[in-house]
Amino acid sequence: MARTDIGPPHYEQFLPPVIKENYGKWKYHEILKPGVLKHVGETGEIYSVRVGSARLLTIDRIEEYCQLADKYCDGYLRFTSRNNVEFLVSDPAKVEPLLAELKEKGFPVGGTGNALNNIIHTQGWVHCHSAATDASGIVKAVMDELYEYFVDMKLPAKLKISLACCLNMCGAVHCSDIAILGIHRTPPKIQHEWVAKQCEIPTVVASCPTGAIRPNPKEKSVVVNEEKCMYCGNCYTMCPAMPIADPDNDGVAILVGGKVSNARTVPMFSRLAIPYLPNNPPRWPEVTQAIRKLVEVWVQNARPGERYGEWIERIGWEAFFKIADLPFTDKHIDDFIFSVPTFRTSAQFKF
Amino acid sequence: MAELKTPLLDQLTTGPWPSFVADMKRLVDRKPTVADVLAQLELSYEEKKGHWKHGGIVGVMGYGGGVIGRYSDMPEKFPNVAEFHTMRINQPSGWFYTTKALRDLMKIWDKYGSGLTNMHGSTGDIILLGTVTDNLQPAFDEFSDLGWDLGGSGSDLRTPSCCVGPARCECACIDTLDLCYDLTQEFQDELHRPMWPYKFKIKISGCANDCVASIARADFAIIGTWRDDLKIDQEAVREYVNSGFDIQGVVIDKCPTKCLTWTGSELVLDGSNCVRCMHCINKMPKALRPGDDKGATILVGGKATILQSAFLGWVIVPFMKLEKPYDELKDLLRNIWEWWDEHGKVRERIGELIYRKGMRVFLKDLGMDPLPQMVFRPRANPYFFWWPEEVNQG
């Protein structure tokens, strides 16, 4: 029987020698050009070349990365928290040849400094049971559309876009500059005979954040109060006999202005900008155009160094909706548990 | 097998960003599973609807987590993905690899799986997408032989993850990689055998820039910081300014507490007002550094929206020294888990439990003192509780 509970291999065996020597002794870093970082330590330097990836990678693509790392990086590479590959180059003479080969292969180099970073995202229709939209497809379409902002550093500040294909938010998109979120808009359809066979009624009842689900003892099933249901799909996660996917109504919501870094301003949640855009595979034109527009109003109006949410908080959300030319609807006013602190309790606002 | 036709997906093979469709299509001839994934995905694109089912207990001997069961809901049409389970492999700290290690992993995944991966999943694991039940154990055996192990899933400790830390960052105030490795090894049982109310995520960032988004995405966020004053190299500051750097606009005016002033020749810090946000250090990495008295702030409760709203992590320990063997931190984790185990309802995250019971109960049960650093501002209502021993029982 195989050994269990051994944990991951120790990271030290995967560190390039210059990193081992300068571990904890780094002095500073510079961004030499988009996607190329130089870290200077007490006894050496390392160049990191950041390459955007689709996250959904085949073993063939990983082999391609390995061949590049063997050729230019003595076999060392790493991945980032945003699904980029970083080629760790110890020999400065190999940086330009690596960049040339990456260009030839069509691997995008960028994502550093005031750039669009790679989109973090979930599985979508490629592999998830509860997806209200696809993930990899929209990400590809959006990154194609905004490619210029990944490979250059011409934005006011960093731009982090994330996608979660349903409200479970495996991608935890709730603190992103721009969040793309798959949503349902209709209550689950109850398959009573299967609920009785497959599901634990008390668990299903407890799974509903708005208390919309009651037991239905006659059918050994449940009833959903449709007025209370806000389509989160949590009941479906607990009970497969309550499917919520609805091709005619599922789609995408866009939230903006979140950040996790503490730099300057405290971390902030993303907030609703566009309640619904249709699923329109394979390239989701409504979504990509909406995001391009959202990025452009920020580029045109933010001060240098202002993240998306910092810009909006400075000008005010009422001004944002006007500048971004977005309708403000009843969907934008919170009616969930912690809504009250978002209501304006002041005579200060802009027209 | 019928020829694979995917006219919708093929539209995702153009454009400058790497195409997952073009990448996957290279495997179609070798991997019938990948052909069926693409065929089923094409159907999803036609119908605007997913075709996967969850459920079914699958796994490897001795473990309760690490494998996620996945099935096509149209197994007759797509027989090669009738079973298409995910294996989560625990990533090395900081996601560093040698090509040898990656090739070893991929060789096993080629032998037993679809050849599809995510590098990496949201929690941090190496995600291996798609194999059948019968291959799970032999694949795991070979991974284990090479020194790799499964990550977490279900109601257990999820695979801890960390930023690049001291391996390649001058801002790291703690050894994120060592701490991540140490905690992962220490809590192997908690990681592999789900026995809690729900999932529990630990993420470790070396500084307040929080590159692994710990404050938003971890039930237990460890964020490196310092207690003394940040360090200023005045000569290097002058070099920035002399090279045309707008110190007033880019640094001084953006400081959230206005604790920096530029005299024209010197950068003056009002250390007692600094909140260690990292902005000035980010902008002048050659001149400014974190202080010497380093440690971490611990925040609890971060999570996404499901179920009772998204929470950002709440400060529960403003500063903790973090040095091997990290006993204080491990004791705190064990105490939190014990309290959560005792009071938590099924599928109740720690943050939701603290909100339900009240922070005062959490702090009291854990023997922690309330501190002003825990709140932005105190309550504005008079509805507070007294403990029995605080009032006259007469």
Side-chain angles (χ1 to χ4, degrees), chain A residues 23 29 58 86 127 134 140, chain B residues 17 23 45 86 170 175:
Chain A
Y23 193 92
H29 76 279
T58 67
E86 280 182 346
H127 203 229
D134 190 33
K140 161 74 174 152
Chain B
W17 193 251
D23 188 17
Y45 273 39
T86 300
E170 68 275 12
D175 191 341

Side-chain angles (χ1 to χ4, degrees), chain B residues 375-388:
Chain B
V375 296
F376 279 122
R377 46 193 75 86
R379 77 165 72 220
N381 61 65
Y383 295 163
F384 38 89
F385 292 94
W386 294 97
W387 301 106

Side-chain angles (χ1 to χ4, degrees), chain B residues 339-355:
Chain B
W339 186 79
W340 181 40
D341 243 352
E342 191 174 324
H343 301 286
K345 297 195 279 198
V346 177
R347 294 186 84 237
E348 187 172 42
R349 297 280 283 269
I350 184 71
E352 287 164 334
L353 175 61
I354 294 173
Y355 179 69

Side-chain angles (χ1 to χ4, degrees), chain B residues 23-313:
Chain B
D23 188 17
M24 285 169 73
K25 284 220 158 176
R26 300 188 292 187
L27 286 189
V28 163
D29 291 339
R30 275 157 59 204
K31 298 277 186 189
T33 47
V34 176
D36 270 6
V37 173
L38 285 167
Q40 185 177 303
L41 186 60
E42 178 75 11
L43 183 65
S44 287
Y45 273 39
E46 284 168 23
E47 295 179 347
K48 305 181 184 183
K49 182 175 182 297
H51 281 289
W52 296 103
K53 286 193 298 183
H54 60 313
I57 307 283
V58 289
V60 302
M61 292 281 287
Y63 285 11
V67 177
I68 295 93
R70 189 70 74 219
Y71 307 85
S72 171
D73 71 359
M74 304 178 80
E76 301 81 17
K77 196 170 164 73
F78 307 111
N80 295 303
V81 291
E83 294 173 1
F84 199 66
H85 312 316
T86 300
M87 296 186 84
R88 292 184 180 161
I89 305 289
N90 197 148
Q91 82 286 3
S93 284
W95 299 290
F96 283 92
Y97 296 93
T98 58
T99 52
K100 178 175 186 314
L102 275 179
R103 284 194 176 109
D104 285 345
L105 284 169
M106 293 311 126
K107 201 173 158 191
I108 300 169
W109 191 233
D110 194 10
K111 186 171 165 189
Y112 292 108
S114 69
L116 302 179
T117 77
N118 291 153
M119 301 296 275
H120 294 77
S122 295
T123 303
D125 299 285
I126 302 160
I127 303 291
L128 302 177
L129 294 170
T131 189
V132 294
T133 311
D134 286 346
N135 279 355
L136 292 169
Q137 189 67 45
F140 172 73
D141 292 347
E142 291 196 26
F143 286 125
S144 171
D145 284 346
L146 287 178
W148 297 87
D149 203 345
L150 295 184
S153 71
S155 296
D156 64 10
L157 175 63
R158 299 300 182 86
T159 312
S161 78
C162 66
C163 70
V164 71
R168 204 204 52 199
C169 183
E170 68 275 12
C171 298
C173 296
I174 51 174
D175 191 341
T176 57
L177 292 89
D178 181 66
L179 179 58
C180 185
Y181 180 77
D182 192 302
L183 293 179
T184 307
Q185 293 294 346
E186 176 87 16
F187 299 119
Q188 281 290 298
D189 194 31
E190 288 81 356
L191 182 64
H192 294 306
R193 287 160 205 99
M195 50 192 160
W196 285 337
Y198 204 11
K199 64 182 90 168
F200 192 95
K201 298 186 179 184
I202 300 175
K203 290 188 190 292
I204 308 162
S205 280
C207 77
N209 283 319
D210 200 359
C211 288
V212 287
S214 67
I215 201 165
R217 302 173 68 167
D219 299 273
F220 193 88
I222 303 167
I223 299 179
T225 192
W226 63 94
R227 273 191 298 201
D228 51 347
D229 289 351
L230 63 84
K231 296 202 280 191
I232 304 174
D233 176 346
Q234 297 291 354
E235 194 47 46
V237 175
R238 284 189 282 273
E239 274 173 40
Y240 271 103
V241 175
N242 292 338
S243 66
F245 180 75
D246 174 17
I247 192 168
Q248 187 65 38
V250 173
V251 175
I252 311 290
D253 293 348
K254 297 254 182 191
C255 171
T257 58
K258 306 287 177 256
C259 70
L260 288 168
T261 40
W262 171 242
T263 67
S265 61
E266 245 185 40
L267 186 64
V268 180
L269 169 76
D270 170 11
S272 62
N273 276 316
C274 171
V275 290
R276 306 166 315 286
C277 82
M278 295 301 296
H279 174 73
C280 58
I281 298 177
N282 293 341
K283 293 299 167 189
M284 306 171 79
K286 289 183 185 174
L288 306 180
R289 298 176 68 83
D292 289 321
D293 186 11
K294 292 169 177 160
T297 299
I298 313 288
L299 305 95
V300 162
K303 59 183 279 294
T305 311
I306 294 280
L307 199 58
Q308 290 201 332
S309 292
F311 296 148
L312 290 160

Side-chain angles (χ1 to χ4, degrees), chain A residues 156 256-257 265 268 293-303 305-317 319-321 323-324 350:
Chain A
V256 299
T265 47
M268 299 190 270
K293 225 175 112 187
L294 283 168
V295 172
E296 281 172 358
V297 291
W298 171 59
V299 169
Q300 286 155 14
N301 292 282
R303 290 178 183 162
E306 269 179 341
R307 291 278 292 266
Y308 211 103
E310 293 173 319
W311 164 58
I312 299 178
E313 288 291 330
R314 175 172 60 80
I315 64 168
W317 286 85
F320 165 73
F321 277 89
I323 294 172
K350 296 175 186 173

Side-chain angles (χ1 to χ4, degrees), chain A residues 19-284:
Chain A
I19 281 189
K20 266 192 215 169
E21 285 159 24
N22 287 279
Y23 193 92
K25 298 177 196 164
W26 297 99
K27 284 158 58 182
Y28 64 90
H29 76 279
E30 292 174 296
I31 304 174
L32 299 180
K33 53 175 138 175
V36 183
L37 302 163
K38 174 188 179 184
H39 284 83
V40 178
E42 285 177 7
T43 66
E45 303 166 353
I46 190 134
Y47 297 80
S48 304
V49 176
R50 184 176 293 174
V51 172
S53 94
R55 187 181 87 137
L56 174 53
L57 304 175
T58 67
I59 50 178
D60 285 13
R61 176 57 43 91
I62 291 168
E63 173 58 28
E64 287 176 288
Y65 292 153
C66 286
Q67 286 173 16
L68 288 164
D70 280 344
K71 196 163 163 189
Y72 300 102
C73 313
D74 309 311
Y76 295 99
L77 71 166
R78 73 177 289 265
F79 291 81
T80 74
S81 58
R82 298 192 74 87
N83 313 321
N84 302 294
V85 189
E86 280 182 346
F87 292 97
L88 303 168
V89 189
S90 299
D91 177 359
K94 289 183 175 167
V95 173
E96 286 302 326
L98 169 61
L99 290 171
E101 188 163 349
L102 288 166
K103 192 171 180 185
E104 185 198 311
K105 288 194 151 52
F107 290 163
V109 175
T112 51
N114 291 345
L116 165 64
N117 208 321
N118 199 353
I119 298 181
I120 54 166
H121 62 93
T122 54
Q123 302 290 9
W125 292 332
V126 173
H127 203 229
C128 187
H129 65 282
S130 67
T133 187
D134 190 33
S136 298
I138 305 187
V139 167
K140 161 74 174 152
V142 172
M143 287 308 284
D144 278 345
E145 178 72 29
L146 300 180
Y147 186 76
E148 60 184 302
Y149 297 116
F150 180 82
V151 296
D152 210 338
M153 302 195 291
K154 57 184 181 181
L155 291 170
K158 287 177 194 312
L159 176 63
K160 297 187 176 183
I161 304 182
S162 312
L163 180 147
C165 53
C166 81
L167 268 58
N168 276 322
M169 282 198 205
C170 302
V173 302
H174 54 289
C175 297
S176 309
D177 292 294
I178 299 178
I180 308 166
L181 181 61
I183 57 161
H184 305 290
R185 296 193 299 160
T186 47
K189 289 160 209 71
I190 309 172
Q191 299 166 337
H192 292 294
E193 67 279 23
W194 288 106
V195 173
K197 282 181 194 150
Q198 289 183 332
C199 308
E200 261 188 58
I201 306 294
T203 314
V204 180
V205 170
S207 75
C208 181
T210 63
I213 302 177
R214 280 184 294 119
N216 172 356
K218 217 164 91 184
E219 303 239 36
K220 291 185 179 152
S221 177
V222 293
V223 199
V224 174
N225 178 343
E226 301 207 344
E227 281 178 19
K228 280 189 176 177
C229 172
M230 44 67 176
Y231 340 110
C232 71
N234 201 42
C235 54
Y236 172 62
T237 299
M238 300 315 292
C239 172
M242 298 182 70
I244 191 166
D246 175 356
D248 296 329
N249 286 294
D250 292 348
V252 164
I254 310 279
L255 297 89
V256 299
K259 72 193 269 280
V260 293
S261 162
N262 287 273
R264 300 172 304 283
T265 47
V266 297
M268 299 190 270
F269 287 126
S270 318
R271 296 182 182 278
L272 185 64
I274 304 174
Y276 175 78
L277 293 166
N279 271 330
N280 205 349
R283 281 196 165 267
W284 280 264

